[in-house]
């Protein structure tokens, strides 16, 4: 199938689904749920077809409103979509986890009110992330970042009768809006200096004339996007927002939002726009420093938590540290094989962590749904009464620690290996982070396999719509774990090669495509 | 302590922004003549070709609804999301049944 024909449907389908949801809602509860599942399922189909197409044929450029982005000039005047392999991996990840989260909400959100708004917002959240992943225009990136952010503010505070939901929502909204305005200011500065908003043409202009303004804009971008990705020392909103959100939403927040809005955007801006016009080494080390703080703080804070979802949230911060470490080394060792491996590890870990953290968050949701508590001290002996759920949690926890037969091993190995080659101290820090991470998850598992608490005795495994997404994610983790190096060689390394090849990214748009 | 550092960093950011707001080092304000063509070539294109390519006499609407119409869809979605979110958060509390 031709990628050009299917790419627009990646936006059209969720947009149509979200805007038609208030009308479909008039037909009743069943129609609304079926509609949400159909829309996200169709998006998943389009996303996988797109991934396959980009994987086969390389970079895909699509101009909105014309055949060519150039018009009668030699610079782009229209908005372009530009999907390289990295973007396609993100699209696949978003559509997959988004679909599973919607299916899971059928059972999980049953007792809540206002569900028409809920499904509208969750589809818009997915739409915003897809828009970020495929765009090749800097202002358009901002618009979709805002769509994603506003939908996630509303979804974090969705349970408006709980104090923590509202508190976390307010915190997240204030911090997130400031971070977004940093990004907007950076875009305004770049536009004022260079007069274009297309990423690839901006890269050309930047290479011709690197100015102080561009560096200030880059600093604003890095600051804003580190906020969005939940890097330390600005991770505090995350530790409140993710536990307070409904579990289907924390699966999407932990698994997707912090990566698309943070890691993906940062990578795209650093590699594809700033490419060779700033010192990659300096920027790389800035990212590495934040990565090391994030690694230690996130994982160490995860160990001391008693609240199950808060533990998972801090663990997300810790795992973002690994991804940032890979990204930082990929920049600092740009062009060498070490950098390539580190970046491949970062992309691989992004995908893997989306699956693992979605799985763990969904399981946390099941536990809360069954027992009504998130306190780990009250959850002992869950393995007796909820065997399937506990087993899935075991898989997820082993994968996130990086046990060899599961998918987390390969991605973490790539990051360890490259960091140890690049600088042994960084390797040691990564190992220390994993030690903390292991301690945190062993603590949870120890509780689950302990002596049954009386509260736990009446718990049961959840119904099908909540169990199937968990099973699918667990199977995906195991299957991906069986072919780690094949996936790495066939998908992740080519994705890094495409990302590092800035010239191809630029000429795909400017070459009169 | 934290507050002091915060104010100091705000002061630093303000200083940097003032520095690049100086036309000698950074952004040019009110570019004209040659600078207009060097810095605002995209705007120049829209002004020159807008009427003939799009057909509207108002350049701003030409840009907002044709050249960059996709952004406008995005803005409409932002508004829709904000309304959906506000209604969702202002709905009555769920009754304590369970």
């Amino acid at each position: 199938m031709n990628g050009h024909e299917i790419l627009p449907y990646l936006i059209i389908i969720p947009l149509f689904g979200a805007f038609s949801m208030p009308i479909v809602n008039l037909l009743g509860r069943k129609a609304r749920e079926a509609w949400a599942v159909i829309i996200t399922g169709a998006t998943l189909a389009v996303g996988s077809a797109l991934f396959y197409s980009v994987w086969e044929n390389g970079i895909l450029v699509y101009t909105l409103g014309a055949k060519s982005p150039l018009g009668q000039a030699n610079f782009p005047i229209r908005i372009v979509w530009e999907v390289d392999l990295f973007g396609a991996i993100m699209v696949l990840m978003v559509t997959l986890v988004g679909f599973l989260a919607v299916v899971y909400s059928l059972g999980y959100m049953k007792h809540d009110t206002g569900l028409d708004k809920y499904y509208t917002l969750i589809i818009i959240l997915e739409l915003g992330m897809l828009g970020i992943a495929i765009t090749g225009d800097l202002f358009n990136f901002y618009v979709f970042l805002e769509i994603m952010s506003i939908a996630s503010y509303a979804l974090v505070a969705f349970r408006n009768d709980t104090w923590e939901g509202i508190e976390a929502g307010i915190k997240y909204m204030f911090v997130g809006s400031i971070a977004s305005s940093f990004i907007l200011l950076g875009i305004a500065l770049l536009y004022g200096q260079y007069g274009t908003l297309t990423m690839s043409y901006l890269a050309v202009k930047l290479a011709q004339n690197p100015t102080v303004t561009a560096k200030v804009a880059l600093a604003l971008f890095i600051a804003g996007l580190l906020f969005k990705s939940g890097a330390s020392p600005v991770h505090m909103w995350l530790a409140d927002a993710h536990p307070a959100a409904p579990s289907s939403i924390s699966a999407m927040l932990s698994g997707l939002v912090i990566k698309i809005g943070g890691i993906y955007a940062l990578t795209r801006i650093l590699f594809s726009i700033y490419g060779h016009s700033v010192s990659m080494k300096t920027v790389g080390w800035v990212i590495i420093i934040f990565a090391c703080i994030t690694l230690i703080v996130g994982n160490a804070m995860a160990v001391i938590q008693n609240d199950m979802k808060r533990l998972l949230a801090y663990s997300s911060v810790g795992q973002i540290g690994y991804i940032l470490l890979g990204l930082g080394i990929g920049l600092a060792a740009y062009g060498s094989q070490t950098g390539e491996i580190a970046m491949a590890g970062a992309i691989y870990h992004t995908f893997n962590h989306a699956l693992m953290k979605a799985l763990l968050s969904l399981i946390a949701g099941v536990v809360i749904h069954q027992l009504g508590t998130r306190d780990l001290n009250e959850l002992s002996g869950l393995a007796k009464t909820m065997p399937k759920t506990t087993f899935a949690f075991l898989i997820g926890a082993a994968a996130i620690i990086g046990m060899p037969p599961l998918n987390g091993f390969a991605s973490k190995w790539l990051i360890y290996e490259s960091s140890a080659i690049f600088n042994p101290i960084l390797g040691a820090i990564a190992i220390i982070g994993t030690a903390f991470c292991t301690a945190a998850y062993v603590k949870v598992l120890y509780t689950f396999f302990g002596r049954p608490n009386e509260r736990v005795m009446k718990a049961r495994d959840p119904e099908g719509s909540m169990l199937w997404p968990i099973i699918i994610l667990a199977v995906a983790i195991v299957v991906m774990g069986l072919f780690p190096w094949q996936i790495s060689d066939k998908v992740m390394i080519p994705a890094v090669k495409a990302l590092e090849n800035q010239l191809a990214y630029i000429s795909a748009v400017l070459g009169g495509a | 302590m934290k507050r002091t550092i915060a104010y100091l960093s705000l002061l630093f950011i303000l200083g940097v922004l003032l520095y690049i707001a100086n036309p000698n080092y950074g952004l040019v304000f009110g570019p004209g003549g040659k600078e207009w063509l060097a810095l605002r070539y995209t705007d120049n294109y829209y002004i020159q070709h807008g009427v003939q390519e799009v057909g509207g006499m108002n350049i701003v609407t030409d840009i907002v609804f044709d050249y960059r119409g996709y952004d406008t869809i995005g803005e409409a979605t932002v508004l829709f999301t904000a309304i959906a979110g506000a209604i969702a958060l202002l709905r009555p509390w769920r009754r304590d049944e369970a």
Side-chain angles (χ1 to χ4, degrees):
Chain A
M1 212 181 332
N2 192 343
H4 277 272
E5 283 154 21
I6 54 173
L7 180 55
Y9 289 97
L10 201 62
I11 296 297
I12 292 172
I13 293 174
L15 202 59
F16 177 63
F19 277 86
S20 59
M21 187 60 83
I23 298 169
V24 173
N25 183 46
L26 299 175
L27 300 174
R29 212 189 100 228
K30 282 263 180 295
R32 168 177 77 209
E33 290 176 351
W35 189 236
V37 172
I38 290 169
I39 290 293
T40 44
T43 317
L44 173 60
V46 173
S48 346
L50 180 71
F51 172 74
Y52 183 71
S53 161
V54 172
W55 185 65
E56 285 272 286
N57 308 324
I59 295 181
L60 191 62
V61 177
Y62 186 97
T63 310
L64 287 119
K67 287 266 177 287
S68 152
L70 303 179
Q72 302 168 41
N74 55 359
F75 48 82
I77 52 158
R78 287 179 181 275
I79 297 177
V80 289
W81 285 334
E82 187 160 16
V83 192
D84 67 356
L85 191 51
F86 183 32
I89 292 171
M90 294 295 121
V91 166
L92 184 65
M93 175 180 106
V94 169
T95 49
L96 177 64
V97 176
F99 173 66
L100 294 175
V102 166
V103 172
Y104 178 87
S105 338
L106 300 184
Y108 180 74
M109 297 298 285
K110 215 163 36 185
H111 305 299
D112 284 79
T113 57
L115 287 182
D116 51 332
K117 273 83 86 180
Y118 172 82
Y119 286 113
T120 313
L121 287 168
I122 199 170
I123 292 173
I124 290 178
L125 184 63
E126 191 181 347
L127 167 79
M129 292 191 280
L130 292 174
I132 292 174
I134 64 174
T135 193
D137 189 280
L138 203 52
F139 185 72
N140 190 246
F141 154 70
Y142 175 74
V143 170
F144 277 83
L145 188 79
E146 275 303 270
I147 293 176
M148 179 190 87
S149 304
I150 291 176
S152 56
Y153 304 152
L155 284 168
V156 162
F158 188 76
R159 286 185 168 152
N160 59 353
D161 49 353
T162 59
W163 63 269
E164 44 179 7
I166 297 296
E167 190 205 339
I170 288 175
K171 229 178 231 179
Y172 184 18
M173 193 180 73
F174 275 88
V175 172
S177 320
I178 293 170
S180 301
S181 59
F182 273 26
I183 295 165
L184 184 62
L185 183 56
I187 294 172
L189 290 179
L190 276 186
Y191 183 70
Q193 184 71 55
Y194 296 105
T196 183
L197 287 167
T198 310
M199 289 184 184
S200 42
Y201 194 59
L202 198 54
V204 175
K205 284 299 222 180
L206 261 169
Q208 285 167 356
N209 177 25
T211 55
V212 187
T213 316
K215 285 187 182 135
V216 175
L218 178 64
L220 290 167
F221 284 141
I222 292 179
L225 293 171
L226 283 182
F227 253 107
K228 294 270 170 193
S229 59
S232 231
V234 282
H235 64 279
M236 60 292 165
W237 63 266
L238 193 150
D240 283 331
H242 292 207
S247 287
S248 44
I249 300 306
S250 32
M252 285 184 88
L253 288 175
S254 275
L256 306 175
V257 169
I258 53 176
K259 297 186 190 108
I260 298 288
I263 304 295
Y264 172 79
L266 204 55
T267 313
R268 178 62 70 216
I269 285 172
L270 288 175
F271 276 92
S272 299
I273 297 181
Y274 280 87
H276 293 292
S277 42
V278 289
S279 160
M280 302 287 263
K281 200 154 195 165
T282 318
V283 179
W285 272 103
V286 170
I287 306 255
I288 288 172
I289 288 167
F290 281 110
C292 291
I293 302 172
T294 311
L295 256 173
I296 299 294
V297 170
N299 285 319
M301 289 292 280
V303 179
I304 57 170
Q305 300 302 322
N306 280 323
D307 178 328
M308 189 175 174
K309 284 185 79 178
R310 199 168 262 271
L311 188 147
L312 294 179
Y314 274 113
S315 156
S316 282
V317 175
Q319 302 298 319
I320 281 291
Y322 287 104
I323 299 171
L324 283 175
L325 184 64
L327 171 60
I329 295 173
L331 285 164
Y334 188 79
S336 70
Q337 210 187 351
T338 314
E340 208 167 75
I341 291 173
M343 201 54 224
I347 298 177
Y348 200 2
H349 201 59
T350 308
F351 193 92
N352 284 342
H353 183 247
L355 297 182
M356 307 184 286
K357 198 41 73 69
L359 173 67
L360 294 173
S361 301
L362 295 183
I363 291 171
V366 167
V367 171
I368 294 161
H369 196 74
Q370 291 287 328
L371 296 164
T373 179
R374 309 196 308 225
D375 195 337
L376 279 171
N377 295 326
E378 297 177 23
L379 295 177
S380 64
L382 215 57
K384 279 248 163 45
T385 47
M386 298 171 78
K388 289 176 203 156
T389 317
T390 313
F391 184 64
F393 193 91
L394 184 65
I395 292 177
I400 215 162
I401 294 164
M403 296 282 260
L406 299 163
N407 67 354
F409 168 69
S411 54
K412 277 198 173 178
W413 180 258
L414 293 174
I415 294 173
Y416 292 150
E417 193 188 9
S418 53
S419 59
I421 294 170
F422 180 70
N423 187 335
I425 297 171
L426 298 179
I429 291 174
I431 301 283
I432 293 170
T434 302
F436 281 132
C437 174
T438 313
Y441 282 100
V442 165
K443 183 179 114 174
V444 180
L445 285 171
Y446 194 74
T447 318
F448 277 14
F449 287 99
R451 210 157 56 83
N453 188 326
E454 71 239 41
R455 222 182 151 147
V456 168
M457 289 317 280
K458 37 185 203 304
R460 266 171 296 119
D461 270 326
E463 59 184 277
S465 67
M466 287 165 81
L467 197 57
W468 276 108
I470 290 174
I471 293 173
I472 292 171
L473 283 168
V475 168
I477 285 173
V478 172
V479 170
M480 276 184 74
L482 295 178
F483 310 99
W485 309 119
Q486 285 88 334
I487 293 173
S488 168
D489 291 342
K490 290 248 159 56
V491 182
M492 304 304 164
I493 297 278
V496 178
K497 289 225 162 80
L499 196 59
E500 288 189 338
N501 191 351
Q502 201 195 2
L503 212 58
Y505 187 82
I506 293 168
S507 62
V509 167
L510 297 182
Chain B
M1 179 62 192
K2 256 188 186 170
R3 203 160 274 249
T4 318
I5 295 173
Y7 283 128
L8 283 178
S9 30
L10 271 182
L11 210 62
F12 174 73
I13 294 172
L14 188 70
V16 170
L17 289 179
L18 282 177
Y19 176 80
I20 59 164
N22 185 331
N24 293 327
Y25 316 110
L27 298 171
V28 179
F29 288 91
K34 268 210 164 58
E35 277 182 336
W36 166 260
L37 283 180
L39 294 173
R40 298 287 174 267
Y41 47 91
T42 323
D43 307 15
N44 194 52
Y45 179 92
Y46 291 145
I47 292 168
Q48 304 237 307
H49 300 84
V51 174
Q52 156 228 341
E53 275 190 7
V54 181
M57 294 301 285
N58 187 331
I59 297 298
V60 176
T61 40
D62 282 354
I63 294 171
V64 168
F65 287 100
D66 186 284
Y67 290 113
R68 302 192 65 89
Y70 180 52
D71 280 347
T72 311
I73 295 181
E75 294 300 347
T77 315
V78 169
L79 205 57
F80 180 71
T81 317
I83 294 167
I87 297 174
L89 296 189
L90 295 174
R91 74 186 190 279
W93 287 1
R94 138 176 76 159
R95 306 273 172 265
D96 296 343
E97 290 159 20

